[in-house]
Amino acid sequence: MTILYFFDLFGTFAFAVSGAILGIKKDMDIYGMFILAVSVGVGGGTMRDVLLSRTPPFVLTDINYMIVIAAATLIVFFLNSKVVKEMPMKALNIADAVGLGVFTSIGANVAVECNVEWYGIIFFGVMTATAGGMIRDMLAGEVPFVLKKEVYASASIAGGILFIVLHRANIGMNINILITSVFVTLIRIIAIYKDWNLPHFKGSVK
């Protein structure tokens, strides 16, 4: 198992936990929790693969992703009081930040392999990292987190730009992925602790 693959599974686990917890908050049964966990854990990567004609999608050729998602769902289901009430939200957000960074890099790398233009590299990096969360939130009847004021998708966009710069500078792909993953993760973590937000409209529209 490579380090990148490990962090990919770790990011999947973190995202899946967030989906399962949201399922509890929405009073769903274990199946509903699992569906939300799957949607956020592999939804973005699956959409990416379909759009790039990489079929079957990765989630249907590597069972480890479904095992990780199922494990995350079961852990939240059986230990929900501890997971929801005792786990510091920032701890979960940090794990989520790692997933954001890794998924951005993986999405960008796949786009490069498929010979898309530079804006496509950014697009697929952001899609891989954020589309699953949007699906999760919409299934749960929430405004997608990525569309709110948080520095989230913007961190992924910045990572996609950095990935392109490093790629055009002929930096090795593994090093590129590592640097970009760390870069995006750090932006997200700093934004959490510094409470950075994007500009948003204040007040009401009449």
Side-chain angles (χ1 to χ4, degrees):
M1 177 183 292
T2 65
I3 294 178
L4 180 62
Y5 184 60
F6 169 79
F7 279 112
D8 189 15
L9 292 177
F10 176 76
T12 299
F13 179 84
F15 282 163
V17 166
S18 73
I21 289 175
L22 183 57
I24 286 180
K25 292 181 178 179
K26 291 294 182 177
D27 198 29
M28 295 182 180
D29 60 18
I30 191 170
Y31 179 72
M33 293 168 59
F34 179 70
I35 292 300
L36 293 189
V38 169
S39 67
V40 66
V42 296
T46 301
M47 289 177 61
R48 174 204 66 214
D49 283 1
V50 170
L51 288 176
L52 291 173
S53 298
R54 297 175 80 241
T55 54
F58 74 101
V59 68
L60 300 180
T61 60
D62 188 343
I63 196 173
N64 288 331
Y65 290 96
M66 297 306 293
I67 291 174
V68 165
I69 292 171
T73 303
L74 290 173
I75 289 172
V76 174
F77 181 79
F78 288 110
L79 301 176
N80 64 80
S81 60
K82 292 184 178 180
V83 172
V84 175
K85 296 179 181 179
E86 296 181 14
M87 174 180 284
M89 185 55 63
K90 285 189 176 180
L92 183 60
N93 285 339
I94 290 174
D96 179 87
V98 174
L100 181 73
V102 173
F103 288 177
T104 296
S105 301
I106 291 174
N109 179 43
V110 170
V112 167
E113 291 177 350
C114 292
N115 299 312
V116 302
E117 290 288 345
W118 64 269
Y119 53 88
I121 295 173
I122 297 174
F123 173 78
F124 284 110
V126 174
M127 169 179 283
T128 304
T130 66
M134 295 181 69
I135 297 171
R136 173 203 61 202
D137 293 346
M138 288 188 290
L139 287 174
E142 298 278 347
V143 175
F145 177 80
V146 70
L147 300 181
K148 297 180 181 180
K149 61 183 181 179
E150 295 277 351
V151 175
Y152 198 81
S154 51
S156 183
I157 292 171
I161 294 172
L162 175 63
F163 186 95
I164 294 170
V165 171
L166 295 176
H167 178 63
R168 293 188 173 179
N170 294 318
I171 301 298
M173 189 57 69
N174 289 335
I175 299 299
N176 189 345
I177 290 174
L178 177 61
I179 293 174
T180 302
S181 297
V182 172
F183 175 73
V184 175
T185 299
L186 286 177
I187 290 179
R188 177 60 185 149
I189 290 175
I190 292 172
I192 291 171
Y193 280 94
K194 295 292 186 179
D195 197 26
W196 289 349
N197 294 295
L198 295 178
H200 65 288
F201 181 79
K202 295 182 179 180
S204 60
V205 178
K206 297 181 180 179

